[in-house]
Amino acid sequence: MSQATSKDALVSLFEGHQTFAISSHLRPDGDAIGSMLGLGLILEGLGKTVRYLHQDGVPENLAFLEKESVNPIGRAGELDDCEAEVFVALDTANRERLGEDVLALIPKDAVQVTIDHHITNECYGDHVWVDAESPATAQMVWELAKSAGWELPASARVALYVGASTDTGSFQYANTTARTHEMVADLLKAGLDVAEVNRMTYQNFPCRRVELLRLLLETLERSEDGRLAWWSLTMAMKQEVGYRPGDSEGLVDVMRGIDEVVACVFFEEISDGTIRVSTRSKTTEVNVSELCGLFGGGGHILAAGARLDGPIEEAREKVVTALKEAASR
Amino acid sequence: MSQATSKDALVSLFEGHQTFAISSHLRPDGDAIGSMLGLGLILEGLGKTVRYLHQDGVPENLAFLEKESVNPIGRAGELDDCEAEVFVALDTANRERLGEDVLALIPKDAVQVTIDHHITNECYGDHVWVDAESPATAQMVWELAKSAGWELPASARVALYVGASTDTGSFQYANTTARTHEMVADLLKAGLDVAEVNRMTYQNFPCRRVELLRLLLETLERSEDGRLAWWSLTMAMKQEVGYRPGDSEGLVDVMRGIDEVVACVFFEEISDGTIRVSTRSKTTEVNVSELCGLFGGGGHILAAGARLDGPIEEAREKVVTALKEAASR
């Protein structure tokens, strides 16, 4: 039976056990990996035994975080078993988002703890701490450590910083709180190398990503009134730059950064010939979740996606026509 | 005769006078305008009379800050006189960087105050407060207000945030301190709308800036080992996109974002035919302040600039050759 848990109760629970398994959500981002390693490294510092397991493993752009850890993050599908008294799911709104290989590895007798900042959290597990006001699960882990008086090893400081920084867009999003900055002030006072961690997080892109940006800018189109923008990535362009998954992550911000642009679309040709459509809107007046719904997709009002049949010219024609109509309402 | 001044002495000086003129450096950036308006709006809140004057006026990308102010920032060349008991130069390393029209307007009898965070400050004026540890002059203005117990009007909070955010690359650069985050925590607690200020600062670019980025990417070059990168902006390119001052601000981060790149250079042809050179380094091992010193320029170890004679091909040849030597040491 799930129950809402206080920070203090979690502190007692963690201090009262010796072996832990920690996981997070599919397609992990900076907060997923950052909160996992942040909590785990703190517990290791307290002399606990910690195992990290993940359905997908660590993506290339976050591999530098894993290097800080003594125990690597195991890909759940490659592990035979996972002994632990306590299983902690971090930053993961529901059980399914852990992935089936992780679910299969959770020890039957383990106490199951959920720590998350998603308002949509389904409150699964034996002890649940959800704080939807917190911009990042990493910040909740820091709150836990501060309230317990646990020491933060240098490697945990890096992991927690990356979690908070990436989930707040380098402290720019509306979710950023005064407490987030108090956390970072605390991490910096303890000796965090702010230039190095940001360099690894944001200045560590392969050169082919810049080449990709150049090619995408050549395909940039805008509506007559300038309020809509879109660009396209074909398989030929991917081959030209040696594209790998993740290379285009965040590039849509270049279109979104244009003052007049209210909504923008990224068309991407996939190897199976279908077209992945990613949309972003700056205003609730242009609901891109509804737009993507027209094509069997969905998402949030300001960020949504869909998958259409190719060729890319036809998909683009359909989506841009629908977007123009949505934006003219 | 210049003298180093304490914060407390400046507080007394400001409280003891009624009329102020405030200025900052040529080609103003976020910290120049942010610290000017931050200090001015605080003084206005204390019932003082404040005039803002600037050689170049406010660039388009920072115009939203000026809207927060009751008294607009006058272009010094368009003003006949400027009465004030106290003249404050903010964020400006030497007198010349104020511009000749500003210098001509400084009232003869005014007490002249310098507040700056540049280590290269030449300590001009009657009272000088230089803090090279501070990442932004805006942060120094905040320190001054906090130590004096002065209230920060909402508009001053926005201006000081923009100064600190832009001079630290959204809190990512090595100069960012725990105190910077404490300042932002204080501003957020007081009600700063973090999403809105960041949208105005970082998602409010004219479309021609994206066009400019496309053209710059076409000129991108790298050294054989990939550790150095540079691109070039000619007058012809400026005419093609309808370039205005400020349009290229921050674009250098695209080069800096490449993992292998250790140092990068932005070559810009100015209307008088000279070449403005802006350099960035990721490591103290490549000291770009020294590099720019070779050409009569200067700055910080990781960010510096110089001005060379044209044509741009020759300036590029000279600087890239020197940079290759500096980077091979």
Side-chain angles (χ1 to χ4, degrees):
Chain A
M1 176 71 189
S2 295
Q3 57 178 61
T5 300
S6 67
K7 267 196 310 242
D8 288 349
L10 283 184
V11 168
S12 302
L13 178 76
F14 286 160
E15 290 183 345
H17 289 85
Q18 186 55 33
T19 56
F20 296 82
I22 299 182
S23 190
S24 189
H25 63 77
L26 296 171
R27 287 185 297 280
D29 56 12
D31 195 30
I33 302 297
S35 62
M36 275 181 73
L37 288 172
L39 177 62
L41 290 161
I42 290 168
L43 293 173
E44 289 191 56
L46 295 172
K48 313 289 184 184
T49 301
V50 179
R51 295 198 63 177
Y52 308 91
L53 60 156
H54 198 283
Q55 182 75 27
D56 299 328
V58 182
E60 189 180 326
N61 61 317
L62 295 167
F64 73 97
L65 280 181
E66 195 179 11
K67 289 192 191 113
E68 306 269 347
S69 170
V70 183
N71 299 323
I73 295 185
R75 211 180 267 264
E78 294 164 4
L79 302 175
D80 291 331
D81 62 14
C82 170
E83 282 179 27
E85 298 161 307
V86 181
F87 174 83
V88 188
L90 289 160
D91 198 44
T92 306
N94 58 54
R95 231 182 256 281
E96 291 65 38
R97 292 270 295 150
L98 289 168
E100 57 186 14
D101 294 335
V102 170
L103 289 172
L105 277 176
I106 300 176
K108 292 285 167 286
D109 309 332
V111 178
Q112 294 186 32
V113 175
T114 298
I115 301 176
D116 186 24
H117 73 121
H118 291 95
I119 199 167
T120 51
N121 190 289
E122 294 176 4
C123 299
Y124 57 99
D126 303 309
H127 302 273
V128 180
W129 179 34
V130 174
D131 179 2
E133 302 287 305
S134 188
T137 299
Q139 185 173 321
M140 297 175 68
V141 170
W142 175 80
E143 294 282 8
L144 195 69
K146 293 315 271 189
S147 101
W150 296 335
E151 206 168 304
L152 273 71
S155 48
R157 295 196 290 265
V158 171
L160 295 180
Y161 180 94
V162 169
S165 170
T166 53
D167 254 25
T168 58
S170 200
F171 315 108
Q172 292 181 13
Y173 298 161
N175 61 358
T176 312
T177 62
R179 193 69 175 154
T180 313
H181 285 280
E182 286 172 353
M183 162 180 162
V184 177
D186 177 66
L187 299 178
L188 290 190
K189 278 180 191 164
L192 180 80
D193 184 339
V194 66
E196 178 64 11
V197 64
N198 278 294
R199 179 182 166 172
M200 297 307 289
T201 310
Y202 299 111
Q203 297 182 20
N204 204 19
F205 297 116
C207 191
R208 62 179 188 273
R209 186 177 192 262
V210 174
E211 184 61 14
L212 183 67
L213 174 60
R214 185 178 72 76
L215 295 180
L216 284 171
L217 284 171
E218 285 172 4
T219 75
L220 178 64
E221 294 179 85
R222 295 172 74 201
S223 56
E224 296 73 19
D225 60 8
R227 296 174 70 227
L228 310 175
W230 59 94
W231 63 24
S232 310
L233 177 57
T234 63
M235 284 304 294
M237 289 161 68
K238 287 185 179 180
Q239 275 147 21
E240 184 177 339
V241 300
Y243 178 89
R244 289 199 220 165
D247 280 353
S248 59
E249 188 99 31
L251 288 180
V252 72
D253 282 338
V254 173
M255 279 194 283
R256 188 158 47 179
I258 301 173
D259 48 7
E260 290 176 320
V261 168
V262 168
C264 54
V265 192
F266 192 150
F267 295 96
E268 179 188 351
E269 191 179 14
I270 309 297
S271 55
D272 66 5
T274 63
I275 310 302
R276 181 184 291 145
V277 175
S278 307
T279 58
R280 295 287 183 276
S281 169
K282 286 187 189 172
T283 164
T284 51
E285 283 161 38
V286 181
N287 182 333
V288 290
S289 176
E290 259 178 41
L291 174 82
C292 290
L294 297 175
F295 304 101
H300 307 283
I301 295 176
L302 302 182
R307 193 75 76 97
L308 277 77
D309 289 334
I312 196 164
E313 296 78 10
E314 279 181 26
R316 198 162 50 205
E317 173 69 24
K318 283 179 196 161
V319 173
V320 169
T321 302
L323 179 59
K324 283 182 179 173
E325 200 179 304
S328 67
R329 263 182 235 135
Chain B
M1 176 71 189
S2 295
Q3 56 178 60
T5 300
S6 67
K7 264 196 312 241
D8 289 348
L10 283 184
V11 168
S12 303
L13 179 75
F14 286 161
E15 290 183 344
H17 290 84
Q18 186 55 35
T19 57
F20 296 81
I22 299 182
S23 191
S24 187
H25 64 77
L26 297 170
R27 284 174 47 81
D29 56 11
D31 195 28
I33 302 297
S35 61
M36 276 182 73
L37 288 173
L39 178 61
L41 290 162
I42 291 168
L43 293 173
E44 289 191 56
L46 295 171
K48 311 289 184 186
T49 302
V50 179
R51 295 197 64 177
Y52 309 90
L53 59 157
H54 199 281
Q55 183 75 28
D56 299 327
V58 182
E60 193 179 324
N61 62 314
L62 295 167
F64 73 98
L65 280 183
E66 196 179 10
K67 290 192 190 113
E68 306 268 346
S69 168
V70 183
N71 299 323
I73 295 185
R75 211 179 266 265
E78 296 164 3
L79 302 176
D80 292 332
D81 63 15
C82 170
E83 283 179 27
E85 298 162 307
V86 180
F87 174 83
V88 188
L90 289 161
D91 198 42
T92 307
N94 60 52
R95 232 182 255 282
E96 293 65 40
R97 292 270 295 151
L98 289 169
E100 55 186 16
D101 295 334
V102 169
L103 290 172
L105 278 176
I106 300 176
K108 293 284 167 286
D109 309 333
V111 179
Q112 294 186 32
V113 175
T114 299
I115 300 177
D116 187 23
H117 74 121
H118 291 95
I119 198 166
T120 53
N121 191 289
E122 294 176 5
C123 298
Y124 57 99
D126 303 309
H127 302 275
V128 179
W129 179 35
V130 173
D131 179 2
E133 303 287 305
S134 187
T137 300
Q139 185 173 322
M140 298 175 69
V141 170
W142 175 79
E143 294 282 9
L144 196 67
K146 293 315 270 187
S147 102
W150 297 335
E151 206 167 304
L152 275 69
S155 49
R157 294 196 290 265
V158 171
L160 296 179
Y161 180 93
V162 169
S165 169
T166 54
D167 254 26
T168 58
S170 201
F171 315 108
Q172 292 181 13
Y173 297 162
N175 60 358
T176 311
T177 63
R179 194 69 177 152
T180 314
H181 285 280
E182 286 171 353
M183 163 181 161
V184 177
D186 178 65
L187 299 177
L188 290 190
K189 279 180 190 163
L192 181 80
D193 184 337
V194 66
E196 176 64 10
V197 64
N198 279 294
R199 191 174 72 80
M200 296 307 289
T201 309
Y202 300 110
Q203 293 186 21
N204 201 23
F205 298 115
C207 191
R208 62 177 188 275
R209 185 177 192 262
V210 174
E211 185 61 12
L212 182 67
L213 174 60
R214 185 178 70 78
L215 295 180
L216 284 171
L217 284 170
E218 286 173 3
T219 75
L220 178 64
E221 294 179 85
R222 295 172 74 199
S223 57
E224 295 74 19
D225 60 8
R227 294 175 71 228
L228 310 175
W230 59 93
W231 62 25
S232 310
L233 176 57
T234 62
M235 285 303 295
M237 290 161 68
K238 287 184 179 180
Q239 275 146 21
E240 184 178 340
V241 300
Y243 178 88
R244 292 201 217 164
D247 280 353
S248 58
E249 181 115 14
L251 288 180
V252 73
D253 282 338
V254 173
M255 278 193 283
R256 187 157 46 181
I258 301 172
D259 49 6
E260 290 175 321
V261 168
V262 167
C264 54
V265 192
F266 192 151
F267 294 97
E268 179 187 351
E269 191 178 13
I270 309 298
S271 54
D272 66 6
T274 63
I275 310 301
R276 181 182 291 139
V277 175
S278 305
T279 56
R280 296 286 185 279
S281 169
K282 287 185 190 174
T283 164
T284 52
E285 282 161 41
V286 181
N287 182 334
V288 291
S289 175
E290 259 179 41
L291 173 83
C292 289
L294 297 175
F295 305 101
H300 308 281
I301 296 176
L302 301 182
R307 192 76 75 98
L308 276 78
D309 289 333
I312 196 164
E313 295 77 11
E314 280 181 25
R316 198 163 50 205
E317 174 68 25
K318 283 179 195 161
V319 173
V320 169
T321 302
L323 179 60
K324 282 181 179 171
E325 200 179 304
S328 68
R329 263 184 235 133

